[in-house]
């Protein structure tokens, strides 16, 4: 490792990183993945993670974006140390509130002869591009205003033209961008455009604004998407013109096959933002775990990381330079892992509440404060904790638990197992009813004791040839379904009265049939 790279990945100096979204809507999860990298590197080194809002492209602003951005980060547990609302030593953290500073830097580079006013109208720029196209040249500005005389400038101003400011690219030599993870990129200076750094309305472009802010906010590592790599040589030139130290640049790979692509129809395939994944029933810890693995790995086999693990283990040097593939099945698998094996029942059931309310299984008030109903709701959720992949699956799996017995609609024939008779099924139900009515509470609420009690009836009293014949009718009777959660767990969750009532209704419907 070179000395420079060594410094860039050293954990002995706290890093200052930033997430610098433009408020142009709900941030795409690919963009949030970049925020995760920046957050983790700051925290790993004991440094600061900054949230900065880059709102200088006024035409693209979308109302509500800032709230979306903040909610996405907060939900994932990516708390920023400095940023809008929160403040910090280098605020304000919203670029439109820093125009004076950008304008002052633009004036400074003009005075130093490293930038110039450009008076070209949009029509002229268009004509230049068309002419270049016709001559089979790459489009771009012809540096027309780079050497205007004082008279020409005055004449343009007299016409009322408001100039832009363009950076004066040094035409000789070449510029190299050193990046921590992608190969060095060298370009001939003469191929770079004299880019606009300050627009005629006084707002800076990204090229100037991000660079001034990164400098002023003492950002040590600029972690951003690889789509910015082509502009990086220009940025290096601007840094050099200003005589400022260039932060460590880390251009993170794109995500292949990102969600929300054309042609995909399901809600799940079209989800692009953190809030959409949240609504689909993914857990923040699972989404964080999944996203961090898009372009980063700890080793060649570890798949599950808590946020704390990540803070401990994250190394910028292990960000992969090659694109990562978005695979929703893997997200499902990670999410299922957290639901099935990491959350405890209490936590799982709490997280199910908004989904149950959304589906109308419980009321919004109950979701807010389940009160006395909590043990019942928790037991109902517990029935499917080992089964579901996302929280939004839960209501449809357990809604039968919440319905009144009479509202379970199913054909009586479902109560009758394969090669059985309605009379035998009714007999099974009767024996189960008698048993469940009588057993003491300790047995009723103990899964193993219930199982052995019912098994005993099956073998010794009814002399059934297999346990399935004993369990099938009550399962259908309690759930109204031919596929249901575990019978003993349902018996316990529903409670004695409701269980007996459901079994009795089922028995009646069989008797009425025969
Ligand atoms: N505002 C830029 C964007 O949203 C930020 C890029 C950067 O991180 O520098 O793409």
């Amino acid at each position: 490792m070179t000395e420079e790279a060594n410094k860039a990945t050293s954990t002995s100096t706290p890093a200052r990183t930033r997430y610098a979204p433009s408020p142009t809507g709900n941030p795409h999860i690919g963009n949030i993945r970049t925020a995760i990298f920046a957050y983790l590197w700051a925290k790993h080194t004991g440094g600061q993670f900054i949230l900065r809002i880059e709102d200088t492209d006024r035409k693209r602003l979308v109302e509500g974006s800032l709230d979306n951005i903040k909610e996405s980060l907060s939900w994932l547990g990516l708390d920023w140390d400095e940023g809008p609302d929160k403040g910090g030593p280098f605020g304000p953290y919203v670029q439109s509130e820093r125009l004076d500073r950008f304008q002052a830097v633009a004036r400074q580079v003009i005075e130093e002869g490293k930038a110039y006013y450009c008076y070209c109208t949009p029509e002229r720029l268009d004509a230049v591009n068309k002419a270049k196209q016709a001559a089979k040249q790459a489009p771009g500005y012809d540096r027309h205003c780079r050497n205007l005389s004082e008279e020409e400038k005055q004449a343009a101003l007299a016409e009322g033209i408001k100039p832009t400011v363009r950076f004066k690219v040094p035409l000789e030599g070449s510029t190299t961008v050193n990046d921590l993870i992608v190969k060095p990129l060298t370009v001939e200076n003469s191929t770079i455009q004299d880019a606009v750094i300050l627009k005629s309305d006084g707002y800076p472009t990204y090229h100037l604004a991000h660079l001034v802010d990164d400098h002023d906010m003492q950002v040590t590592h600029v972690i951003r998407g690889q789509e910015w790599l082509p502009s990086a040589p220009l940025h290096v030139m601007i840094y050099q013109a200003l005589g400022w130290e260039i932060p460590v640049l880390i251009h993170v790979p794109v995500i292949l096959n990102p969600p929300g692509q054309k042609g995909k129809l399901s809600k799940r395939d079209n989800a692009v933002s953190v809030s959409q994944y949240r609504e689909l029933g993914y857990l923040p810890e699972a989404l964080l775990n999944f996203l961090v693995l898009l372009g980063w790995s700890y080793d060649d086999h570890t798949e599950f990381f808590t946020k704390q693990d990540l803070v401990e283990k994250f190394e910028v040097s292990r960000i992969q330079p090659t694109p990562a593939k978005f695979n929703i099945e893997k997200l499902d698998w990670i999410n299922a892992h957290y639901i099935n094996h990491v959350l405890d029942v209490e936590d799982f059931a709490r997280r199910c509440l908004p989904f149950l309310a959304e589906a109308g299984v419980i009321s919004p008030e109950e979701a807010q404060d389940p009160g006395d109903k909590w043990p019942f709701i928790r037991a109902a959720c517990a029935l499917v904790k080992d089964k579901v992949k996302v929280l939004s699956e839960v209501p449809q799996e357990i809604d039968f638990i919440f319905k009144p017995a009479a509202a379970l609609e199913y054909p009586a024939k479902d109560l009758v197992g394969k090669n059985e008779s309605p009379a035998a099924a009714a007999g099974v139900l009767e024996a189960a009813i008698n048993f469940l009515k009588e057993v003491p509470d300790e047995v009723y609420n103990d899964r193993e004791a219930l199982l052995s009690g019912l098994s005993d009836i099956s073998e010794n009293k009814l002399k059934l040839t297999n346990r399935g014949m004993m369990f099938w009718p009550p399962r259908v009777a309690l759930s109204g379904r031919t596929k249901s959660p575990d019978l003993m767990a349902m018996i316990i969750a529903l409670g004695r009265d409701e269980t007996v009532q459901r079994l009795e209704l089922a028995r009646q419907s069989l008797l009425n049939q025969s």
Side-chain angles (χ1 to χ4, degrees), residues 18-24 31 34 52-55 60 95 206 210 214 222-225 227-228 235:
R18 82 315 191 262
Y19 173 47
S22 300
T24 52
N31 198 266
T34 309
R52 182 175 78 222
I53 302 302
E54 302 203 329
D55 60 345
R60 294 176 59 229
Q95 288 187 326
Y206 170 74
H210 89 278
D214 285 341
V222 168
I223 302 176
R224 63 182 178 188
E227 68 273 19
W228 291 108
H235 302 157

Side-chain angles (χ1 to χ4, degrees), residues 336 339-340 348 384-390 393-394 397:
I339 289 181
N340 307 155
F348 170 67
V384 293
K385 180 177 174 297
D386 295 343
K387 253 174 59 167
V388 294
K389 290 202 291 276
V390 287
E393 285 170 24
V394 173
E397 294 290 328

